[in-house]
Amino acid sequence: MLAATLVIALVIAAVQIFGAAVTGSLALLADAGHVLADSGGVGLALGATLLAARAASGRRTFGWARAEILAAAVNGLILIGMGGFIVVQGIRHLIEPGEVEAGGMAIFGVVGLVGNLIGVGLLYRARTASLNLRGAFLEVATDSASSVGVLVGALVIALTGFTRVDAIVSLLIGVVIVPRAVKLLREATNVLLEAAPSDVDLDAIRAHILEVEHVRDVHDLHVHTVTSGLPVLTAHVVVEAGCFGDGHAPQLLDRLQSALAGQFDVEHSTFQLEPVGHAEHEFAAHA
């Protein structure tokens, strides 16, 4: 489904770029840019599905999962440039409108709408199966709305001769592309910099760990994301000295990991259990 949707989206983008060159419609070019933006999202969803199936190795202990984030960063940079170009050209065409062939604009708009509706149909039933599929469905659905905007613009030009509507439609599409591209790049950069995920509250996690019986302190707490849906947590947990002598440490470790997986949805966690005073002779890099 994702592969077929991606192929359809790329064909639509190519057809609309050709249509923009033939008709002089900036709105068609903007719609093609919007389709390419969402093609990136569909491609990432497809890539994430394929890469998740590849086994980890001695050199790549998380497999190829991070490749999704690298692709997202590149995609974000390209889309920011494309969206900025569309906005600048839209403003220029708004000031000095050019000739737009409304009939051809409508024909290519219909091609885009039909293709996007096919994509919507392919993903409709599977849209609730995973977050990737849901995101891909929403992206194709917004492409359909953009195609409708192109058709409305073509109708206005055909009925009134008001060619500035082409620039207005392209500006609206460009304004949609740029914030999404910036958000995509920011999220990818945060993952590459191993920042804590935005939906993870480190203070709440720290407080939750401290509530576990026999835990005295927690430090060197880090949470980052390897790829979408794969948060990783590491922490040094100071426990009562008796836990090491009476064999209670394994049960304590189970409680810590199950607590995080259940309440904070962090299933990949690594804890170092240590006695009081151990932190005093750790390397300075620990904090």
Side-chain angles (χ1 to χ4, degrees):
M1 291 178 295
L2 286 173
T5 303
L6 180 59
V7 170
I8 291 171
L10 292 175
V11 170
I12 291 171
V15 169
Q16 289 185 322
I17 290 173
F18 174 75
V22 172
T23 65
S25 171
L26 184 61
L28 274 175
L29 181 61
D31 195 26
H34 193 198
V35 172
L36 286 174
D38 291 335
S39 297
V42 174
L44 288 175
L46 177 61
T49 302
L50 296 176
L51 290 170
R54 301 191 64 171
S57 66
R59 290 182 60 82
R60 295 185 176 88
T61 55
F62 281 103
W64 289 80
R66 185 56 67 87
E68 176 197 357
I69 305 303
L70 293 173
V74 173
N75 190 29
L77 287 170
I78 293 173
L79 293 177
I80 288 174
M82 181 182 298
F85 173 78
I86 290 171
V87 169
V88 170
Q89 291 300 309
I91 294 173
R92 188 174 69 83
H93 283 223
L94 195 60
I95 298 172
E96 299 178 1
E99 292 295 325
V100 179
E101 207 281 291
M105 180 180 174
I107 291 172
F108 287 107
V110 168
V111 171
L113 179 60
V114 170
N116 286 320
L117 289 177
I118 292 173
V120 168
L122 287 172
L123 296 174
Y124 181 77
R125 290 187 177 180
R127 71 190 188 283
T128 58
S130 70
L131 289 177
N132 271 336
L133 286 171
R134 182 174 180 271
F137 172 79
L138 292 174
E139 285 161 351
V140 177
T142 58
D143 286 337
S144 301
S146 295
S147 295
V148 171
V150 172
L151 289 175
V152 170
L155 180 62
V156 170
I157 293 173
L159 294 178
T160 68
F162 182 62
T163 57
R164 281 188 171 88
V165 72
D166 178 66
I168 293 172
V169 171
S170 67
L171 281 171
L172 290 174
I173 296 174
V175 167
V176 170
I177 292 174
V178 173
R180 290 175 60 187
V182 171
K183 181 182 178 182
L184 176 64
L185 181 60
R186 183 174 64 248
E187 291 177 350
T189 301
N190 284 338
V191 172
L192 293 174
L193 292 176
E194 298 191 350
S198 59
D199 58 343
V200 171
D201 187 339
L202 284 178
D203 291 333
I205 291 178
R206 187 185 302 275
H208 194 69
I209 293 174
L210 291 173
E211 289 175 358
V212 176
E213 188 178 3
H214 304 296
V215 172
R216 300 285 299 276
D217 193 14
V218 57
H219 63 98
D220 203 22
L221 174 63
H222 301 286
V223 182
H224 69 276
T225 304
V226 175
T227 189
S228 300
L230 184 56
V232 174
L233 178 146
T234 61
H236 290 207
V237 180
V238 180
V239 301
E240 296 173 358
C243 293
F244 298 101
D246 61 10
H248 186 68
Q251 291 82 3
L252 181 57
L253 182 60
D254 288 341
R255 288 186 60 189
L256 287 168
Q257 291 184 320
S258 61
L260 287 182
Q263 183 161 341
F264 296 97
D265 198 26
V266 179
E267 297 183 0
H268 196 292
S269 57
T270 303
F271 293 100
Q272 174 174 304
L273 303 183
E274 57 188 45
V276 176
H278 184 273
E280 296 176 2
H281 54 79
E282 287 181 346
F283 292 108
H286 294 279

